[in-house]
Amino acid sequence: MRKPQGYLVGTSLDGLVSEADTFTCSHCQKIVIVKPMCDPADIGGRCGMCDSLICQNCVGHECIPWEEKMKQLEASYEARRSYGLI
Ligand SMILES: [Zn+2]
Ligand SMILES: [Zn+2]
């Protein structure tokens, strides 16, 4: 299941932001607004590990796709629960 990219509903600035002008960072799920004609390096980049668009904050960081992070969280939750800590 892959989420469709580029949805910004109801929060557009004067209707100038269309769905084609955004992408969701694959690492932190931040919605990044892509300004027309801007330098791709200004808005982030593409992660070579998961081959997805990522925001500026995530450029140069370790590749941990959101789904992977959620899985890790779930796994640690399950582990703690199985130890009776929750
Ligand atoms: Zn990000
Ligand atoms: Zn990545």
Side-chain angles (χ1 to χ4, degrees):
M1 281 288 276
R2 258 178 136 24
K3 280 195 205 121
Q5 298 230 325
Y7 260 103
L8 191 71
V9 181
T11 52
S12 65
L13 310 163
D14 305 316
L16 290 172
V17 180
S18 73
E19 63 179 80
D21 297 320
T22 69
F23 69 87
T24 307
C25 172
S26 175
H27 289 180
C28 70
Q29 301 295 288
K30 186 178 135 110
I31 292 172
V32 181
I33 297 170
V34 182
K35 297 191 193 78
M37 313 293 286
C38 76
D39 190 331
D42 286 347
I43 52 155
R46 182 174 282 272
C47 173
M49 293 292 289
C50 59
D51 195 32
S52 304
L53 292 169
I54 54 174
C55 73
Q56 220 175 6
N57 290 340
C58 293
V59 171
H61 288 266
E62 191 189 354
C63 171
I64 307 175
W66 183 255
E67 289 105 59
E68 201 52 45
K69 237 185 246 180
M70 288 291 107
K71 261 187 245 159
Q72 283 174 11
L73 274 180
E74 262 166 45
S76 70
Y77 178 80
E78 288 299 322
R80 273 182 289 163
R81 202 169 56 173
S82 69
Y83 294 138
L85 297 173
I86 296 174

